[in-house]
Amino acid sequence: LYSWLLFMTEFVSIRVQEPFVLYRSYLWMPGFMLLAVVGALALTENKIKWALVLAVLLLLPLSWQRLWVFADDYRLWNEAATLLSNERVPGADRIYYNRGQAEMKRKQWEQAALDFERSAAISPQLEPVRYSLGLAYASAGRTDEAMREFDVALQLKDDDARVYYARAMLLSRLHRREEARAQLQKSCDLKNTFACLVLAAPPPAGAAHK
Protein backbone atom coordinates (compact mmCIF):
# COMPACT_ATOMS: atom_id res chain seq x y z
CA LEU A 1 0.00 0.00 0.00
CA TYR A 2 2.79 2.42 0.89
CA SER A 3 4.58 1.80 -2.40
CA TRP A 4 1.38 2.28 -4.40
CA LEU A 5 0.59 5.54 -2.61
CA LEU A 6 3.96 6.96 -3.68
CA PHE A 7 3.90 5.55 -7.21
CA MET A 8 2.39 8.59 -8.94
CA THR A 9 4.64 10.97 -7.00
CA GLU A 10 7.72 9.02 -8.06
CA PHE A 11 6.47 8.65 -11.64
CA VAL A 12 5.77 12.36 -12.15
CA SER A 13 8.77 13.80 -10.29
CA ILE A 14 11.41 11.39 -11.62
CA ARG A 15 10.32 9.27 -14.58
CA VAL A 16 8.70 12.16 -16.47
CA GLN A 17 10.18 15.41 -15.19
CA GLU A 18 13.78 14.69 -14.22
CA PRO A 19 15.93 11.65 -15.04
CA PHE A 20 18.74 12.51 -12.63
CA VAL A 21 17.42 13.22 -9.14
CA LEU A 22 19.84 13.21 -6.24
CA TYR A 23 17.17 12.49 -3.67
CA ARG A 24 14.99 9.91 -5.39
CA SER A 25 15.52 7.36 -2.61
CA TYR A 26 14.31 9.88 -0.02
CA LEU A 27 10.75 9.39 -1.23
CA TRP A 28 10.77 5.89 0.10
CA MET A 29 12.76 6.34 3.33
CA PRO A 30 9.88 7.09 5.76
CA GLY A 31 8.07 3.89 4.82
CA PHE A 32 11.24 1.82 4.97
CA MET A 33 12.03 3.16 8.43
CA LEU A 34 8.55 2.19 9.64
CA LEU A 35 8.99 -1.28 8.18
CA ALA A 36 12.33 -1.60 9.97
CA VAL A 37 10.65 -0.79 13.29
CA VAL A 38 7.89 -3.33 12.63
CA GLY A 39 10.49 -5.96 11.73
CA ALA A 40 12.47 -5.22 14.87
CA LEU A 41 9.46 -6.02 17.06
CA ALA A 42 10.06 -9.70 16.41
CA LEU A 43 13.71 -9.51 17.54
CA THR A 44 15.34 -9.41 20.94
CA GLU A 45 17.31 -6.35 21.98
CA ASN A 46 20.61 -8.16 21.47
CA LYS A 47 19.65 -9.25 17.94
CA ILE A 48 18.58 -5.70 17.09
CA LYS A 49 22.04 -4.42 18.08
CA TRP A 50 23.76 -7.01 15.89
CA ALA A 51 21.39 -6.22 13.03
CA LEU A 52 22.34 -2.52 13.29
CA VAL A 53 26.05 -3.38 13.26
CA LEU A 54 25.52 -5.55 10.18
CA ALA A 55 23.54 -2.77 8.45
CA VAL A 56 26.34 -0.27 9.09
CA LEU A 57 28.96 -2.67 7.70
CA LEU A 58 26.87 -3.25 4.57
CA LEU A 59 25.98 0.40 3.96
CA LEU A 60 29.37 1.96 4.71
CA PRO A 61 31.08 0.87 1.43
CA LEU A 62 28.05 2.03 -0.57
CA SER A 63 27.98 5.39 1.21
CA TRP A 64 31.72 5.87 0.73
CA GLN A 65 31.41 5.27 -3.00
CA ARG A 66 28.53 7.75 -3.27
CA LEU A 67 30.49 10.37 -1.33
CA TRP A 68 33.49 9.86 -3.65
CA VAL A 69 31.29 10.46 -6.71
CA PHE A 70 29.50 13.50 -5.31
CA ALA A 71 32.73 15.10 -4.09
CA ASP A 72 33.73 16.04 -7.66
CA ASP A 73 31.63 17.80 -10.31
CA TYR A 74 33.13 15.80 -13.16
CA ARG A 75 32.61 12.41 -11.50
CA LEU A 76 29.05 13.39 -10.61
CA TRP A 77 27.95 14.42 -14.11
CA ASN A 78 30.05 11.77 -15.83
CA GLU A 79 28.16 9.10 -13.92
CA ALA A 80 24.87 10.75 -14.86
CA ALA A 81 25.91 10.73 -18.54
CA THR A 82 26.95 7.09 -18.47
CA LEU A 83 23.58 6.14 -16.96
CA LEU A 84 21.57 7.83 -19.72
CA SER A 85 19.56 5.27 -21.67
CA ASN A 86 19.55 7.60 -24.68
CA GLU A 87 20.31 11.25 -25.45
CA ARG A 88 16.68 12.23 -25.97
CA VAL A 89 15.39 11.75 -22.46
CA PRO A 90 14.34 14.98 -20.70
CA GLY A 91 17.29 16.64 -19.00
CA ALA A 92 20.01 14.96 -21.09
CA ASP A 93 21.12 18.32 -22.48
CA ARG A 94 21.66 19.63 -18.94
CA ILE A 95 23.74 16.59 -18.00
CA TYR A 96 26.07 17.04 -20.98
CA TYR A 97 26.22 20.79 -20.36
CA ASN A 98 27.21 20.34 -16.72
CA ARG A 99 29.80 17.68 -17.54
CA GLY A 100 31.21 20.09 -20.14
CA GLN A 101 31.48 22.81 -17.50
CA ALA A 102 33.35 20.41 -15.22
CA GLU A 103 35.70 19.54 -18.09
CA MET A 104 36.32 23.24 -18.73
CA LYS A 105 37.49 23.58 -15.12
CA ARG A 106 39.90 20.71 -15.79
CA LYS A 107 41.09 22.46 -18.99
CA GLN A 108 39.94 19.50 -21.06
CA TRP A 109 38.86 21.74 -23.92
CA GLU A 110 38.17 19.14 -26.60
CA GLN A 111 36.17 16.87 -24.28
CA ALA A 112 34.17 19.89 -23.10
CA ALA A 113 33.48 20.89 -26.70
CA LEU A 114 32.16 17.40 -27.45
CA ASP A 115 29.73 17.58 -24.52
CA PHE A 116 28.56 21.08 -25.43
CA GLU A 117 28.04 19.88 -29.00
CA ARG A 118 25.83 17.07 -27.69
CA SER A 119 23.88 19.51 -25.56
CA ALA A 120 23.48 21.92 -28.49
CA ALA A 121 22.30 19.08 -30.76
CA ILE A 122 19.51 18.31 -28.26
CA SER A 123 18.59 21.93 -27.45
CA PRO A 124 19.98 24.19 -30.21
CA GLN A 125 18.10 27.26 -28.95
CA LEU A 126 19.80 27.42 -25.54
CA GLU A 127 22.08 30.47 -25.65
CA PRO A 128 24.28 29.49 -22.64
CA VAL A 129 25.16 26.24 -24.39
CA ARG A 130 26.25 28.07 -27.54
CA TYR A 131 28.29 30.54 -25.50
CA SER A 132 30.01 27.72 -23.59
CA LEU A 133 30.69 25.84 -26.81
CA GLY A 134 32.31 28.98 -28.20
CA LEU A 135 34.53 29.24 -25.12
CA ALA A 136 35.57 25.60 -25.46
CA TYR A 137 36.43 26.08 -29.12
CA ALA A 138 38.36 29.27 -28.37
CA SER A 139 40.31 27.57 -25.58
CA ALA A 140 41.14 24.70 -27.92
CA GLY A 141 42.44 27.11 -30.57
CA ARG A 142 39.53 26.54 -32.95
CA THR A 143 38.95 30.24 -33.54
CA ASP A 144 36.67 30.08 -36.60
CA GLU A 145 34.31 27.65 -34.90
CA ALA A 146 34.40 29.71 -31.71
CA MET A 147 33.42 32.88 -33.57
CA ARG A 148 30.59 31.05 -35.29
CA GLU A 149 29.18 29.86 -31.97
CA PHE A 150 29.44 33.34 -30.45
CA ASP A 151 27.51 34.66 -33.46
CA VAL A 152 24.79 32.06 -32.89
CA ALA A 153 24.67 32.95 -29.19
CA LEU A 154 24.13 36.62 -30.05
CA GLN A 155 21.38 35.71 -32.49
CA LEU A 156 19.62 33.94 -29.65
CA LYS A 157 20.30 36.65 -27.05
CA ASP A 158 21.79 39.89 -28.32
CA ASP A 159 22.24 41.52 -24.91
CA ASP A 160 24.62 39.01 -23.32
CA ALA A 161 27.64 41.06 -22.26
CA ARG A 162 29.70 37.89 -21.73
CA VAL A 163 29.51 36.97 -25.41
CA TYR A 164 30.67 40.40 -26.57
CA TYR A 165 33.57 40.22 -24.13
CA ALA A 166 34.51 36.71 -25.30
CA ARG A 167 34.41 37.87 -28.92
CA ALA A 168 36.65 40.81 -27.99
CA MET A 169 39.24 38.52 -26.43
CA LEU A 170 39.17 36.25 -29.48
CA LEU A 171 39.51 39.17 -31.89
CA SER A 172 42.36 40.58 -29.82
CA ARG A 173 44.14 37.23 -30.07
CA LEU A 174 43.79 37.51 -33.85
CA HIS A 175 45.28 41.06 -33.70
CA ARG A 176 42.02 42.61 -34.93
CA ARG A 177 42.26 45.33 -32.30
CA GLU A 178 39.71 47.82 -33.60
CA GLU A 179 37.02 45.14 -33.87
CA ALA A 180 37.97 43.85 -30.44
CA ARG A 181 37.61 47.35 -28.97
CA ALA A 182 34.16 47.72 -30.54
CA GLN A 183 33.08 44.44 -28.92
CA LEU A 184 34.48 45.55 -25.58
CA GLN A 185 32.48 48.77 -25.86
CA LYS A 186 29.27 46.82 -26.45
CA SER A 187 30.04 44.62 -23.46
CA CYS A 188 30.75 47.68 -21.32
CA ASP A 189 27.49 49.32 -22.47
CA LEU A 190 25.71 46.19 -21.20
CA LYS A 191 27.16 46.79 -17.70
CA ASN A 192 30.12 44.42 -17.89
CA THR A 193 32.39 46.20 -15.43
CA PHE A 194 35.44 44.16 -16.37
CA ALA A 195 35.06 45.13 -20.03
CA CYS A 196 34.91 48.77 -18.98
CA LEU A 197 38.13 48.37 -17.00
CA VAL A 198 39.87 46.81 -19.99
CA LEU A 199 38.73 49.71 -22.18
CA ALA A 200 40.02 52.25 -19.66
CA ALA A 201 43.42 50.59 -19.36
CA PRO A 202 46.28 52.10 -21.40
CA PRO A 203 47.23 50.13 -24.51
CA PRO A 204 50.29 47.86 -24.27
CA ALA A 205 53.63 49.33 -25.29
CA GLY A 206 54.08 49.31 -29.05
CA ALA A 207 50.40 48.67 -29.77
CA ALA A 208 49.91 52.11 -31.32
CA HIS A 209 52.12 51.40 -34.33
CA LYS A 210 51.04 47.80 -34.91
Side-chain angles (χ1 to χ4, degrees):
L1 177 61
Y2 179 77
S3 298
W4 274 106
L5 287 173
L6 275 181
F7 173 75
M8 284 308 297
T9 302
E10 200 259 2
F11 181 80
V12 172
S13 64
I14 296 172
R15 307 299 172 183
V16 175
Q17 181 180 348
E18 175 60 80
F20 183 65
V21 178
L22 309 185
Y23 310 110
R24 69 170 57 189
S25 62
Y26 287 16
L27 292 170
W28 310 100
M29 283 298 104
F32 289 157
M33 292 301 97
L34 291 173
L35 289 174
V37 172
V38 172
L41 293 176
L43 302 176
T44 63
E45 182 177 345
N46 194 47
K47 287 182 178 180
I48 291 174
K49 290 178 181 178
W50 280 109
L52 290 173
V53 171
L54 180 61
V56 169
L57 292 176
L58 290 173
L59 293 174
L60 186 59
L62 296 175
S63 301
W64 187 266
Q65 196 272 343
R66 291 291 83 201
L67 289 171
W68 180 81
V69 170
F70 281 88
D72 180 81
D73 283 346
Y74 174 78
R75 291 196 294 261
L76 171 65
W77 293 107
N78 184 58
E79 180 180 87
T82 57
L83 292 175
L84 283 174
S85 57
N86 64 78
E87 295 188 353
R88 295 298 172 180
V89 299
D93 54 346
R94 185 170 67 89
I95 290 173
Y96 287 126
Y97 175 78
N98 286 334
R99 186 171 68 173
Q101 294 289 354
E103 288 162 338
M104 290 288 283
K105 292 178 183 177
R106 292 180 165 209
K107 299 184 179 181
Q108 298 173 334
W109 316 125
E110 293 292 349
Q111 294 94 317
L114 284 173
D115 275 328
F116 293 139
E117 286 170 1
R118 288 173 177 154
S119 185
I122 298 169
S123 300
Q125 300 304 311
L126 287 180
E127 185 266 347
V129 175
R130 296 293 191 170
Y131 165 69
S132 297
L133 180 54
L135 288 181
Y137 282 151
S139 299
R142 298 160 64 177
T143 55
D144 291 341
E145 293 164 288
M147 194 64 73
R148 182 192 66 209
E149 291 302 322
F150 291 146
D151 289 342
V152 173
L154 288 176
Q155 290 171 10
L156 296 172
K157 189 174 186 290
D158 63 1
D159 61 347
D160 190 336
R162 302 174 306 165
V163 182
Y164 288 110
Y165 183 80
R167 279 170 57 90
M169 295 299 101
L170 192 55
L171 289 166
S172 179
R173 188 190 304 174
L174 297 172
H175 305 291
R176 294 158 61 179
R177 301 188 188 281
E178 290 304 317
E179 295 174 78
R181 189 171 182 82
Q183 295 296 302
L184 279 173
Q185 187 61 60
K186 288 182 179 179
S187 184
C188 179
D189 292 342
L190 290 168
K191 311 302 182 185
N192 184 344
T193 304
F194 196 72
C196 298
L197 291 173
V198 174
L199 277 172
H209 57 268
K210 282 188 178 180

